[in-house]
Amino acid sequence: MQPASLHDWFEINALFIRYATTLDHGDVEGCVSCFRDDAFIESPVLGRFEGREGIRRFAERTATVLRERQARFRHVVTNLTASVDGDRAQATCYLLDFYTEAGKTELLSPGEYFCDLTRLDGRWLFDNRIVVMDRKFDLGM
């Protein structure tokens, strides 16, 4: 793999941002659309979710917390690195995950995303997203 071209880097970065913002706004289908059909998410806090239905369940859990608790998440991603080989890529970034409920905001934990991606029909999608957090936390989700 080679370092991503500027064009690929911006498109991959846009995918990371689209994922974070759709998740934070409770946009379940928008979140699911960031992934290939056979993709998976693995989180040390919430477990592993496979395929579109698994990722939909993952996103619905977040949307339920937002709705029922009138809470807010803010997934802030930064320091993106990406390598590309044709229509395959690997990318990582740092993550700051903030949670606000009842007027109180806390940093849940810093962490990192490790991802494999595929470009399908000119659009980058996640094959997998592995989340590594610096410390454990529990929101009762």
Side-chain angles (χ1 to χ4, degrees), residues 4 8-9 17 31 38 41 58 71 78 105 112 120 125 128 136:
D8 283 333
W9 185 92
I17 299 303
C31 182
D38 58 350
I41 295 175
F58 168 83
T78 186
T105 301
E112 287 185 77
L120 291 174
L125 297 171
N128 60 59
K136 291 186 178 186

Side-chain angles (χ1 to χ4, degrees), residues 94-124:
Y94 291 162
L95 162 69
L96 297 174
D97 194 1
F98 294 94
Y99 178 74
T100 301
E101 185 177 349
K104 180 182 175 194
T105 301
E106 64 178 305
L107 172 62
L108 298 177
S109 176
E112 287 185 77
Y113 288 140
F114 295 89
C115 305
D116 292 319
L117 305 95
T118 298
R119 182 173 23 217
L120 291 174
D121 299 322
R123 182 174 171 229
W124 287 106

Side-chain angles (χ1 to χ4, degrees), residues 18-53:
R18 187 169 69 249
Y19 166 81
T21 56
T22 57
L23 189 63
D24 288 347
H25 290 104
D27 178 358
V28 172
E29 294 309 313
C31 182
V32 171
S33 75
C34 294
F35 294 85
R36 286 181 35 157
D37 290 345
D38 58 350
F40 70 86
I41 295 175
E42 191 169 306
S43 162
V45 176
L46 298 174
R48 185 178 171 109
F49 298 84
E50 296 186 22
R52 286 184 103 52
E53 289 309 308

Side-chain angles (χ1 to χ4, degrees), residues 38-102:
D38 58 350
F40 70 86
I41 295 175
E42 191 169 306
S43 162
V45 176
L46 298 174
R48 185 178 171 109
F49 298 84
E50 296 186 22
R52 286 184 103 52
E53 289 309 308
I55 292 168
R56 185 172 284 109
R57 282 192 310 278
F58 168 83
E60 286 171 346
R61 288 175 78 172
T62 300
T64 298
V65 168
L66 296 174
R67 190 174 51 255
E68 290 180 357
R69 299 184 191 178
Q70 297 182 334
R72 294 287 172 252
F73 286 99
R74 297 290 184 247
H75 290 80
V76 179
V77 294
T78 186
N79 294 29
L80 177 77
T81 62
S83 299
V84 174
D85 183 9
D87 289 332
R88 309 283 297 172
Q90 292 180 327
T92 64
C93 74
Y94 291 162
L95 162 69
L96 297 174
D97 194 1
F98 294 94
Y99 178 74
T100 301
E101 185 177 349

